[in-house]
Amino acid sequence: MVTCDSCGSSLFLSDQASRLAGEQGVMHDHPQLFGLGDHIRLGSDSYHIVGHARFSYGRGTWDEFCALDPDGQVAWISLDEGDVVLQQEIPPAKWPRFDGYLKLGQQIEFLSERFTVVELAGAECVALRGSFDEPLAVGQSYDYINLQGHMGSLLSAEIEGDQQDWYLGRWYDPFEVEVHR
């Protein structure tokens, strides 16, 4: 998916065709640790920021960046109130298994780590810039679940209707993020 800064449109490109995916919304600028087009280093890994999405959760917003590693693999980097987390999608065959529905405080085991549900909420996409590995649309709403691992990992799910995606992430100290513009 790509967005056009000139006309404000978002396009989804697939198999020799393109279709209008909607508007890119208004991305109000404010100070950011990094942004679209930047190259960043998190620990020993480097990423190129190719897409920037902003989500509202009612009382505020957070930013998610679609990034590519040197091999062209996609990762998502979230920035929320100075917190930085790098997340990578978990293939459906490896999703966490649990009974019933998750609720605040519930614990599950995943990849030999215990995770606790710390947040259950909803968000709406309010602005887009750049390119993404999936179609996103301004006004699109999601439910999300964040689970904090006892060893510091973040396990999260994004749910839209019957569709869900799971991500595993790692937190980074924002003072240790190297940014090259």
Side-chain angles (χ1 to χ4, degrees):
M1 193 183 99
V2 295
T3 61
C4 176
D5 287 335
S6 296
C7 71
S9 296
S10 293
L11 299 172
F12 179 65
L13 307 174
S14 68
D15 301 335
Q16 309 288 330
S18 66
R19 66 175 169 84
L20 184 64
E23 298 298 314
Q24 69 181 25
V26 177
M27 184 78 70
H28 297 286
D29 288 322
H30 52 79
Q32 294 274 328
L33 183 59
F34 49 81
L36 193 60
D38 288 345
H39 293 267
I40 65 169
R41 179 168 294 283
L42 299 172
S44 61
D45 300 316
S46 61
Y47 298 91
H48 178 226
I49 306 298
V50 296
H52 179 186
R54 182 161 295 151
F55 295 90
S56 171
Y57 54 92
R59 63 188 187 282
T61 61
W62 84 89
D63 295 289
E64 290 195 16
F65 297 87
C66 184
L68 300 175
D69 71 13
D71 296 326
Q73 297 300 306
V74 174
W76 285 86
I77 303 167
S78 297
L79 230 134
D80 185 8
E81 297 178 5
D83 291 329
V84 178
V85 65
L86 170 72
Q87 299 183 87
Q88 294 178 313
E89 191 167 0
I90 301 168
K94 295 183 179 183
W95 284 354
R97 306 284 181 236
F98 51 89
D99 293 329
Y101 295 97
L102 294 173
K103 59 183 184 246
L104 283 175
Q106 182 176 349
Q107 294 186 343
I108 65 170
E109 293 285 327
F110 181 68
L111 297 178
S112 302
E113 187 171 0
R114 186 177 61 253
F115 288 86
T116 303
V117 178
V118 295
E119 188 175 22
L120 295 163
E124 177 184 347
C125 181
V126 295
L128 300 165
R129 284 184 183 163
S131 302
F132 302 90
D133 67 332
E134 62 186 75
L136 299 172
V138 170
Q140 193 170 8
S141 293
Y142 306 86
D143 290 322
Y144 62 91
I145 303 168
N146 286 329
L147 299 94
Q148 185 64 48
H150 75 281
M151 294 188 305
S153 299
L154 176 70
L155 180 63
S156 62
E158 293 177 2
I159 304 155
E160 183 186 16
D162 293 339
Q163 172 75 27
Q164 62 178 309
D165 295 301
W166 283 87
Y167 299 86
L168 185 60
R170 177 171 176 231
W171 297 97
Y172 287 87
D173 183 334
F175 293 104
E176 294 178 359
V177 176
E178 290 181 37
V179 180
H180 305 278
R181 295 196 156 91

